Amino acid sequence: MVKIALVGCGTMGRVHCGGYAKIPSVQLVAVCDLSEEKMSALPIPAQTRHYQSFDEMMEQEEFDILDVCLPTYLHKEYAMRGMRAKKHVFCEKPIALTNEDAQEMIACAKENNVKFSVGQVLRLFPMYANAAQQVKDGRLGIPKLIRTTRNQAFPPWSWEGWYQDYKKSGGPIVDLAIHDIDWIIGNFGKVERVYAKAFCGKVEKQDHCMITLRLVNGAIAHVEASWAYPQGSVFRTTFEIIGTDAQIEYDSVANAPIHYQTFEDGAHRDAYLSPVLGTLEPYCAELLAFVQSVENGTPLIVTGEDAAETLRVALAALESAQTGEPVEL
């Protein structure tokens, strides 16, 4: 039985707790957050202990994996505190906010001989994984153009509004577009040139970015990510891959089997769902893979180095958006 302790009980902490509940071989022994209310609302076993002090949890609990679901600007500090205590660490994406911090985290994991992975979960979404397999099997010929979108309203649920502070979140380029950047690098190759346009925080609680990536192999990728949609808008993702022989595309709204509509806070809200049950659900699948890597020594799906390379490209896009100039990698 692999024992888990989780720090950060907001949106992603809740998602991770739901994932662990589907894995028979784990025990969530402790959760930690400043808010007792958030911890009490989690879908966790009654015997899971609550801590409002991270130090207290680390001193009193015996566990194997520390799951870090804190805001991005806290990733490095708490992940490394876990590693130095000889705990394996699973950290939500993005790995960090600077290339230097990412490298320090990777080095810390190696120094302490612990496993370290980052939640670049898009790789495990069935529609994205299937498309990548079609490319790998050669059914599209040579991929030449990739387009992705990931658009939504500004996330209003962040603790103390950390999303709108670029020094803490990196904005939609580092927090949102990083999903698609990781998927592109992992399946189509490394990036050599980045050019981007974005509001870069000039409009409060609204931002939109357009990123062009030139890959080393000559392919071009267009990545769009937005926090500029009106509140209540449907979260929507799309991709399109054009190869020399064929084309494949996906739209999360057009392809969703379930349309879910609610009335909340005086407004209608729509969601389009593609349910996946059990341990095949992507967030559960990434946690299960990490647990199995700790248990059995199987390879990590996402290494610290993978996450650092993705961050490097995202930060280059952010630099390009701020300066108006392309960035060569």
Side-chain angles (χ1 to χ4, degrees), residues 54-301:
F54 183 77
D55 289 336
E56 186 179 344
M57 182 180 76
M58 295 297 288
E59 290 171 3
Q60 296 188 13
E61 293 294 338
E62 291 290 334
F63 59 92
D64 306 294
I65 294 172
L66 176 67
D67 188 331
V68 179
C69 288
L70 293 165
T72 303
Y73 66 97
L74 298 173
H75 285 181
K76 176 191 173 185
E77 176 187 350
Y78 285 86
M80 290 180 64
R81 289 176 70 179
M83 294 172 193
R84 288 169 180 153
K86 308 300 181 184
K87 308 300 182 185
H88 305 287
V89 172
F90 186 91
C91 181
E92 253 307 320
K93 63 81 203 166
I95 182 174
L97 285 172
T98 70
N99 294 318
E100 294 76 14
D101 284 354
Q103 294 304 320
E104 284 187 46
M105 294 165 78
I106 293 167
C108 187
K110 291 179 179 177
E111 289 166 8
N112 290 282
N113 195 30
V114 294
K115 298 266 187 175
F116 173 46
S117 187
V118 179
Q120 298 287 174
V121 70
L122 193 62
R123 301 180 183 207
L124 292 171
F125 273 74
M127 58 291 288
Y128 286 83
N130 180 269
Q133 188 62 48
Q134 302 300 313
V135 172
K136 185 178 179 181
D137 291 344
R139 298 188 65 186
L140 276 67
I142 301 172
K144 290 296 184 180
L145 176 62
I146 305 102
R147 295 191 185 100
T148 69
T149 68
R150 187 165 300 272
N151 297 331
Q152 65 176 78
F154 178 83
W157 55 81
S158 62
W159 179 68
E160 294 186 340
W162 68 272
Y163 274 129
Q164 61 189 302
D165 184 343
Y166 274 48
K167 293 181 180 178
K168 295 181 176 180
S169 72
I173 291 178
V174 177
D175 188 81
L176 197 60
I178 201 164
H179 279 298
D180 301 287
I181 292 171
D182 178 76
W183 181 68
I184 289 167
I185 294 173
N187 294 291
F188 302 97
K190 287 193 173 184
V191 175
E192 67 176 12
R193 185 178 186 272
V194 183
Y195 182 66
K197 289 289 188 180
F199 298 158
C200 290
K202 294 177 182 178
V203 182
E204 185 178 3
K205 294 187 177 181
Q206 285 193 335
D207 209 336
H208 188 92
C209 65
M210 296 287 293
I211 306 167
T212 300
L213 307 175
R214 187 173 70 198
L215 308 190
V216 172
N217 60 21
I220 298 292
H222 298 290
V223 179
E224 175 185 330
S226 185
W227 282 347
Y229 280 50
Q231 288 298 322
S233 297
V234 173
F235 174 63
R236 187 176 189 177
T237 67
T238 69
F239 67 72
E240 181 180 17
I241 308 167
I242 300 171
T244 52
D245 296 337
Q247 173 182 342
I248 188 171
E249 55 186 52
Y250 165 78
D251 184 321
S252 63
V253 170
N255 296 102
I258 296 176
H259 175 198
Y260 179 66
Q261 185 181 61
T262 60
F263 186 78
E264 304 172 23
D265 302 323
H268 286 284
R269 299 183 185 276
D270 294 283
Y272 292 81
L273 309 175
S274 297
V276 182
L277 301 178
T279 55
L280 293 178
E281 188 276 320
Y283 292 98
C284 179
E286 68 173 355
L287 297 174
L288 174 60
F290 187 67
V291 168
Q292 290 175 335
S293 182
V294 169
E295 274 189 310
N296 307 319
T298 52
L300 295 169
I301 290 178

